[in-house]
Amino acid sequence: MVKTIRFLSAAAVALGLGLSGAQAQKGDFDPANMRCLDFVNGQGDGATNKGRADLARIWIMGYMAGNYTGREKLEWTDDSDAEDKAIKSILSKCRENPEVTLLTVSEFVSSDRRRDLPNTLSNDFNPQTYMCGDYADGRQGAAADVLKADLADVWAFAFVQGFVNTEDPDLMIPVENKPAITGAIASNCAKNREFSFLNLTAAVAPMVSPQ
């Protein structure tokens, strides 16, 4: 049974954020509403929903990173095939359960077996070398930098979801809470520019809890 986090009280208190006005941004990727069938059908260059499937790949890698961090099992690798191996494990389970959500399958696969994660994703995002200063500047920068920061937000939101699922596999963070979480990361990144995006996100994740 899925339980939904409606409020993120610990994050609000610790980081000084008000959440009452948080709204989902138009076009936000929501894994809780993406069926496995949609993700499977989004593979391939000619797929009609390839854009969402590509966002799902970033989300999955962020989710796994957060889940493994919460279980103190996160390890990185330079293996260029690591991302594809992880995604194939999701696709395999999704083909067996086409109507299940991507969030549910990601939690099952992450908890079933630990996998080394790639240092750099296929979109050139590396949360260990992408610094808070890069992220803070990118949010106000050129179009390419804004896009990279937006994709970092997708990864970070997934990281937090994966982290909280180590405490309770049934908890689901609604996408309307994403602005509060990414806002907390952005606010703290601006004050700690020398931190890696990975370390800052990992510091925020334990502060997220149901009210």
Side-chain angles (χ1 to χ4, degrees), residues 4-6 22-25 27-33 59 157 161 172-182:
T4 301
I5 293 179
R6 291 298 179 188
Q23 299 290 328
Q25 297 172 353
D28 267 346
F29 174 73
D30 185 2
N33 289 319
W59 187 92
F157 182 57
Q161 176 69 73
M172 185 270 289
I173 306 175
V175 71
E176 59 260 32
N177 285 131
K178 180 185 172 188
I181 292 173
T182 57

Side-chain angles (χ1 to χ4, degrees), residues 7-163:
F7 302 98
L8 309 176
S9 58
V13 172
L15 301 169
L17 296 178
L19 306 186
S20 60
Q23 299 290 328
Q25 297 172 353
K26 185 177 180 180
D28 267 346
F29 174 73
D30 185 2
N33 289 319
M34 185 177 197
R35 297 178 305 162
C36 270
L37 179 63
D38 299 325
F39 181 54
V40 171
N41 289 342
Q43 308 305 308
D45 293 337
T48 55
N49 66 329
K50 178 173 171 53
R52 287 189 71 217
D54 287 346
L55 283 177
R57 287 180 68 103
I58 298 170
W59 187 92
I60 290 167
M61 301 315 297
Y63 182 94
M64 287 185 169
N67 193 271
Y68 296 158
T69 296
R71 293 193 281 128
E72 299 183 350
K73 293 185 176 181
L74 177 62
E75 292 188 19
W76 302 98
T77 179
D78 287 326
D79 181 1
S80 59
D81 294 327
E83 180 178 342
D84 283 340
K85 290 176 182 176
I87 296 301
K88 285 178 181 177
S89 69
I90 299 290
L91 285 170
S92 176
K93 189 58 63 175
C94 271
R95 291 187 176 102
E96 297 173 8
N97 303 274
E99 296 302 320
V100 173
T101 68
L102 187 62
L103 172 58
T104 299
V105 167
S106 295
E107 192 284 323
F108 175 83
V109 170
S110 297
S111 61
D112 182 56
R113 173 189 164 194
R114 192 201 66 78
R115 294 167 173 79
D116 290 346
L117 299 184
N119 287 312
T120 304
L121 302 187
S122 55
N123 67 338
D124 293 328
F125 176 67
N126 184 328
Q128 300 172 84
T129 59
Y130 186 58
M131 307 305 290
C132 269
D134 300 326
Y135 173 70
D137 294 343
R139 287 166 61 90
Q140 307 297 325
D145 296 325
V146 171
L147 176 60
K148 189 167 187 177
D150 286 346
L151 295 178
D153 283 341
V154 172
W155 183 92
F157 182 57
F159 183 105
V160 173
Q161 176 69 73
F163 188 94

